Amino acid sequence: MASLNVGNLGEYLREQRRNAQLSLRQLADAAGVSNPYLSQIERGLRKPSAEVLQQVAKALRISAETLYVRAGILDAERDRDDVETRAVILADPSLNERQKQVLLQVYESFRKENGFGADADADTDVKADADAGLGADVDADAAVDGAETVKNPHS
């Protein structure tokens, strides 16, 4: 447990909860965990499972992958830019869920095209996306359809 920075995870969760303007009790209810347990996680006294992190991420509408990295479940050095980019997209309040899914899929396809989406990494990313509730079932046609609906400011 020494290799895990659980305190940093707790501080991050508290910050995200406050940014979402949720009380500890509201987040605990939304994530399906007990209020005391969530409090202990925020204070760095408990190490949550990947399943609990997924539930909390869903309730906060943030990337479960980001929480996995902060908890030490995923390697913090593995594609840090990719994780941060995904987190920014998922946290953008100006996009709806469908737009976020399409944008993430287009982003991943460009990474693969440029040689950054190795098969092993892609399998991990798809699982992490599914865990985060991103719905990896968006196909290329849907991504193109979504991209075509973006208004051209020059027309």
Side-chain angles (χ1 to χ4, degrees):
M1 187 159 136
S3 65
L4 297 178
N5 194 350
V6 180
N8 186 23
L9 170 67
E11 292 168 14
Y12 180 75
L13 283 175
R14 180 176 288 131
E15 177 184 326
Q16 294 301 310
R17 176 177 59 79
R18 288 179 177 160
N19 287 343
Q21 299 179 340
L22 293 173
S23 70
L24 191 65
R25 185 175 309 268
Q26 288 170 321
L27 178 57
D29 288 344
V33 298
S34 74
N35 189 30
Y37 181 62
L38 185 58
S39 175
Q40 291 172 346
I41 293 170
E42 282 193 358
R43 291 181 287 141
L45 302 175
R46 295 282 184 160
K47 181 188 117 190
S49 67
E51 182 180 334
V52 168
L53 289 175
Q54 178 188 355
Q55 292 168 230
V56 171
K58 186 175 180 181
L60 287 171
R61 303 180 72 116
I62 61 174
S63 166
E65 189 173 27
T66 301
L67 295 184
Y68 296 158
V69 169
R70 291 203 177 252
I73 294 170
L74 288 180
D75 182 5
E77 298 303 316
R78 185 187 78 73
D79 294 337
R80 181 175 294 279
D81 290 339
D82 178 46
V83 171
E84 290 174 356
T85 300
R86 289 172 182 270
V88 168
I89 291 169
L90 291 169
D92 188 334
S94 67
L95 300 174
N96 66 36
E97 292 305 311
R98 178 73 177 148
Q99 291 167 331
K100 290 175 186 180
Q101 290 174 11
V102 171
L103 188 54
L104 286 168
Q105 185 145 37
V106 170
Y107 171 70
E108 184 59 33
S109 71
F110 284 146
R111 285 182 49 81
K112 286 179 185 175
E113 182 179 314
N114 293 332
F116 291 100
D119 289 338
D121 288 342
D123 291 343
T124 302
D125 290 343
V126 168
K127 179 173 182 348
D129 287 351
D131 288 346
L134 295 179
D137 61 336
V138 179
D139 62 15
D141 292 335
V144 170
D145 290 343
E148 289 173 353
T149 62
V150 176
K151 294 181 182 173
N152 184 349
H154 300 294
S155 58

